[in-house]
Amino acid sequence: MVFKGFIILLLSILISIFDSLTQTAQWEFPEDFKFGVATSAYQIEGGWDEDGKTTSVWDRITHQTPAFIADQSSGDVACDSYHQWERDVEMLKELGVQYYRFSLAWTRILSGAYTSTVNQAGVKYYNNLIDKLIENGIEPVVTLYHWDMPQKISTLGGLTNDAWVKFFSHYARTAFELFGDRVKIWITFNEPNIICHYFNSVLGSGQPAYPNGVIEYLCSYNLLKAHAEAYHIYNREFRHKQGGKIGITLNFEWAEPATDKPEDVEAAERRRQFDFGIFANPIINFDYPKVVIDRVAKRSELEDFPESRLQKFTFAEKLNVKGTYDFLGLNHYTTWLVSNGDEASLEQSSFYIDTKVSRVQDDSWNTTGAEDNRVVPWGLRKALNWIKSTYGNPDVLITECGYSDRIGNLDDNQRINFYRDYLNATLQAILEDGVNVKAFMAWSLMDNFEWNQGYLVKFGLYHVDFNDPKRVRTMKDSAKYYQKIIVTRRLD
Ligand code: PNW
């Protein structure tokens, strides 16, 4: 009897040890999951007119209209990565990341009035960087367009001119030719919705910076066509010999219904479709989302437009855009509570007015140190689940996620908490919900030029001393934390 009891006790102890072992083994990032960090050319490189680089819209706006930038600064020098790139690779090595996402400056690689000539010095810069990354076992994830449009192309109307498709295709093909032997993950555009809906003067169309419900859709249409063209070029001319992957990065702030009322639930879904679906649906499913088509048509009619302001695809174009992705890039920062909005005055017309929602953030959610984006980790999990169910569970690379502050302190505990919670949400989405998330890239490797916030808002895992001509970089505590997660592949 005693012996039997002993055996049972022993067995149950063994079972519970086995259980806890397998459970902890399971609560880890899957073997093929990659950790990385992200940056973009204009935000870090500097060297704005060196070695044959031509002017981009960001060079133009920072020089011509400094008031557009909160601290009247520019990316002329930024983190000086044009000269300090070896230090950047050292940091990546120190972090232990598998991926480094950066963008190419179109104006560094192609020169001439309409960017038809290869600029060897610019090519050499990226060759050096890419070679060094590979030498150190870090895979380059390369964005072709992270907002630094050649100024000349902007004066033609940028993305509102369909010649954009030709300019961009030429640039994309050149990049595949030059770097595709080593770069295996390509991203055509960073955040089309920001490009077309927010700063259209600087980023998209070359038109004045006011929301415009005609320009925004024209920009989206040409952007999707250019994306598809780049994808097909890769497919036809490069994939068989280079064997890489190509996708697009969309920005998605989760839209949570503010109440259970059907009109708010509907409004939240409308917002998701206007923000994300407008680009994801043509690429993954087919055509623009129905709610976008219907709503823009209705509003256009109220505004007395002769037809819908939404730039429609022909059937052939819909087919050509469909399926042009190997993965979906996701940038995620925050979450909003969304409710149904009123029909705005008919004097104005814009994408946001078309969306017909209002949104707020909950006061109980923690603010970031820069007080804009609130910290809502469950929003990331919901966004990932929505992508899974809306688009048939495509492979998702989280290409940006990060925390901002204004102090740039090295003991950045809030940023540590942020990464812990957002990485945990990612892990839940993978392990509990079966979402195909394949990578997480922290924004950003280091403090850098945060667009119209200049150097006031800091996202870095590394601090950068912008008063030092060498732009000395120092590891923050969050970098050490990320380093540890990358080694252990688990959260505490
Ligand atoms: C992303 N918003 O931009 C960009 O890809 C990065 O270049 C940038 O530095 C980073 O986020 C941090 O801001 C966004 O207003 C800009 O919703 C604005 C918004 C979202 C993303």
Side-chain angles (χ1 to χ4, degrees), residues 302-317:
L302 291 174
E303 288 168 0
D304 204 25
F305 273 83
E307 57 180 284
S308 175
R309 285 180 276 97
L310 187 68
Q311 186 69 35
K312 292 189 193 72
F313 291 115
T314 63
F315 186 72
E317 286 170 342

Side-chain angles (χ1 to χ4, degrees), residues 39-40 43 101 146-147 190-191 193-194 198-199 249 251-253 271 331 333-334 336 352 359 372-373 400 402 404 443-444 448-451 457 459:
T39 61
S40 88
Q43 295 180 273
R101 174 179 179 233
H146 201 124
W147 306 356
N190 180 67
E191 301 185 349
N193 73 335
I194 304 279
Y198 279 74
F199 310 117
T249 278
N251 168 49
F252 194 22
E253 308 195 330
R271 175 82 203 205
N331 290 356
Y333 288 89
T334 196
W336 296 86
Y352 283 106
R359 58 174 208 178
D372 42 8
N373 293 334
E400 283 180 31
S404 58
W443 184 272
S444 174
N448 56 45
F449 178 80
E450 179 50 32
W451 306 114
V457 169
F459 275 93

Side-chain angles (χ1 to χ4, degrees), residues 84 88 110 115 152 190 195 306 342 356 365 398 440 442 470 479:
Q84 313 296 333
D88 294 348
L110 287 169
T115 68
K152 278 279 192 171
N190 180 67
I195 295 173
D342 298 326
K356 202 167 102 32
W365 300 341
I398 297 177
F440 182 97
K470 285 215 133 55

Side-chain angles (χ1 to χ4, degrees), residues 116-130:
S116 54
T117 320
V118 173
N119 175 34
Q120 290 305 335
V123 174
K124 185 163 169 246
Y125 170 68
Y126 293 114
N127 273 336
N128 288 340
L129 173 63
I130 292 167

Side-chain angles (χ1 to χ4, degrees), residues 53-225:
K53 181 181 165 297
T54 57
T55 313
S56 80
V57 287
W58 277 92
D59 297 321
R60 195 252 308 152
I61 193 119
T62 53
H63 296 163
Q64 238 174 46
T65 324
F68 183 76
I69 313 297
D71 57 0
Q72 284 91 55
S73 65
S74 75
D76 287 1
V77 182
C79 306
D80 195 33
S81 286
Y82 190 60
H83 302 107
Q84 313 296 333
W85 59 274
E86 283 174 285
R87 170 70 182 128
D88 294 348
V89 180
E90 248 173 54
M91 287 142 57
L92 296 163
K93 181 98 178 131
E94 184 170 46
L95 285 171
V97 290
Q98 289 97 33
Y99 280 175
Y100 178 41
R101 174 179 179 233
F102 60 95
S103 76
L104 304 177
W106 184 340
T107 52
R108 212 181 273 298
I109 293 175
L110 287 169
S111 61
Y114 293 103
T115 68
S116 54
T117 320
V118 173
N119 175 34
Q120 290 305 335
V123 174
K124 185 163 169 246
Y125 170 68
Y126 293 114
N127 273 336
N128 288 340
L129 173 63
I130 292 167
D131 289 345
K132 194 71 161 186
L133 289 171
I134 290 174
E135 208 178 291
N136 284 284
I138 301 158
E139 223 185 298
V141 175
V142 174
T143 313
L144 289 170
Y145 186 76
H146 201 124
W147 306 356
D148 45 355
M149 184 187 306
Q151 176 56 31
K152 278 279 192 171
I153 294 179
S154 159
T155 56
L156 293 180
L159 273 147
T160 59
N161 186 335
D162 63 8
W164 167 269
V165 180
K166 288 184 196 143
F167 290 128
F168 184 77
S169 309
H170 173 66
Y171 165 50
R173 179 184 282 113
T174 309
F176 302 149
E177 254 160 28
L178 290 168
F179 310 116
D181 55 336
R182 288 151 294 154
V183 173
K184 303 298 169 193
I185 306 178
W186 293 100
I187 293 165
T188 53
F189 289 92
N190 180 67
E191 301 185 349
N193 73 335
I194 304 279
I195 295 173
C196 293
H197 304 314
Y198 279 74
F199 310 117
N200 56 25
S201 68
V202 196
L203 298 166
S205 61
Q207 302 300 319
Y210 57 86
N212 181 299
V214 175
I215 287 172
E216 289 166 318
Y217 297 114
L218 192 51
C219 170
S220 307
Y221 168 78
N222 284 324
L223 188 150
L224 281 163
K225 288 208 299 186

Side-chain angles (χ1 to χ4, degrees), residues 214-483:
V214 175
I215 287 172
E216 289 166 318
Y217 297 114
L218 192 51
C219 170
S220 307
Y221 168 78
N222 284 324
L223 188 150
L224 281 163
K225 288 208 299 186
H227 160 81
E229 199 49 39
Y231 181 92
H232 291 304
I233 288 172
Y234 191 78
N235 241 7
R236 275 197 312 266
E237 302 170 27
F238 299 94
R239 193 190 287 278
H240 62 282
K241 50 183 185 220
Q242 299 185 344
K245 292 188 166 153
I246 174 164
I248 188 166
T249 278
L250 307 181
N251 168 49
F252 194 22
E253 308 195 330
W254 178 246
E256 180 73 7
T259 73
D260 295 342
K261 284 192 230 148
E263 61 266 34
D264 289 343
V265 173
E266 226 176 78
E269 178 61 13
R270 191 162 64 241
R271 175 82 203 205
R272 293 170 209 141
Q273 294 293 359
F274 266 90
D275 269 356
F276 196 87
I278 193 168
F279 298 104
N281 215 69
I283 292 175
I284 302 181
N285 293 336
F286 194 65
D287 202 0
Y288 295 118
K290 186 170 184 309
V291 63
V292 171
I293 297 174
D294 292 350
R295 177 63 203 149
V296 182
K298 165 120 191 275
R299 175 76 198 184
S300 302
E301 196 185 319
L302 291 174
E303 288 168 0
D304 204 25
F305 273 83
E307 57 180 284
S308 175
R309 285 180 276 97
L310 187 68
Q311 186 69 35
K312 292 189 193 72
F313 291 115
T314 63
F315 186 72
E317 286 170 342
K318 288 179 205 171
L319 281 180
N320 200 49
V321 173
K322 182 181 171 60
T324 55
Y325 70 104
D326 299 316
F327 62 85
L328 202 54
L330 170 70
N331 290 356
H332 178 84
Y333 288 89
T334 196
T335 286
W336 296 86
L337 296 176
V338 171
S339 30
N340 188 27
D342 298 326
E343 195 68 76
S345 125
L346 296 176
E347 302 305 300
Q348 290 170 7
S349 134
S350 82
F351 162 84
Y352 283 106
I353 290 174
D354 292 337
T355 310
K356 202 167 102 32
V357 303
S358 62
R359 58 174 208 178
V360 292
Q361 292 197 303
D362 192 319
D363 285 340
S364 73
W365 300 341
N366 285 338
T367 52
T368 59
E371 283 163 16
D372 42 8
N373 293 334
R374 296 213 183 221
V375 182
V376 197
W378 54 260
L380 172 57
R381 185 175 177 183
K382 287 203 174 189
L384 289 168
N385 273 281
W386 185 84
I387 290 172
K388 177 189 171 197
S389 57
T390 313
Y391 305 107
N393 210 4
D395 279 358
V396 173
L397 308 183
I398 297 177
T399 41
E400 283 180 31
C401 183
Y403 178 93
S404 58
D405 63 58
R406 289 173 185 275
I407 353 175
N409 52 321
L410 298 180
D411 54 344
D412 54 342
N413 282 315
Q414 299 308 325
R415 186 170 286 105
I416 291 181
N417 293 341
F418 176 93
Y419 281 117
R420 182 198 59 212
D421 294 346
Y422 276 75
L423 280 164
N424 191 49
T426 306
L427 202 47
Q428 286 172 324
I430 298 171
L431 298 181
E432 288 177 3
D433 314 331
V435 184
N436 284 327
V437 191
K438 299 297 181 194
F440 182 97
M441 289 168 248
W443 184 272
S444 174
L445 170 61
M446 58 192 150
D447 296 339
N448 56 45
F449 178 80
E450 179 50 32
W451 306 114
N452 60 349
Q453 295 299 313
Y455 298 97
L456 300 180
V457 169
K458 296 153 196 300
F459 275 93
L461 294 173
Y462 283 75
H463 172 271
V464 177
D465 183 352
F466 291 102
N467 296 315
D468 187 307
K470 285 215 133 55
R471 299 298 194 266
V472 171
R473 291 105 155 96
T474 312
M475 221 181 187
K476 298 182 189 175
D477 287 350
S478 56
K480 295 177 191 159
Y481 176 75
Y482 197 43
Q483 190 183 41

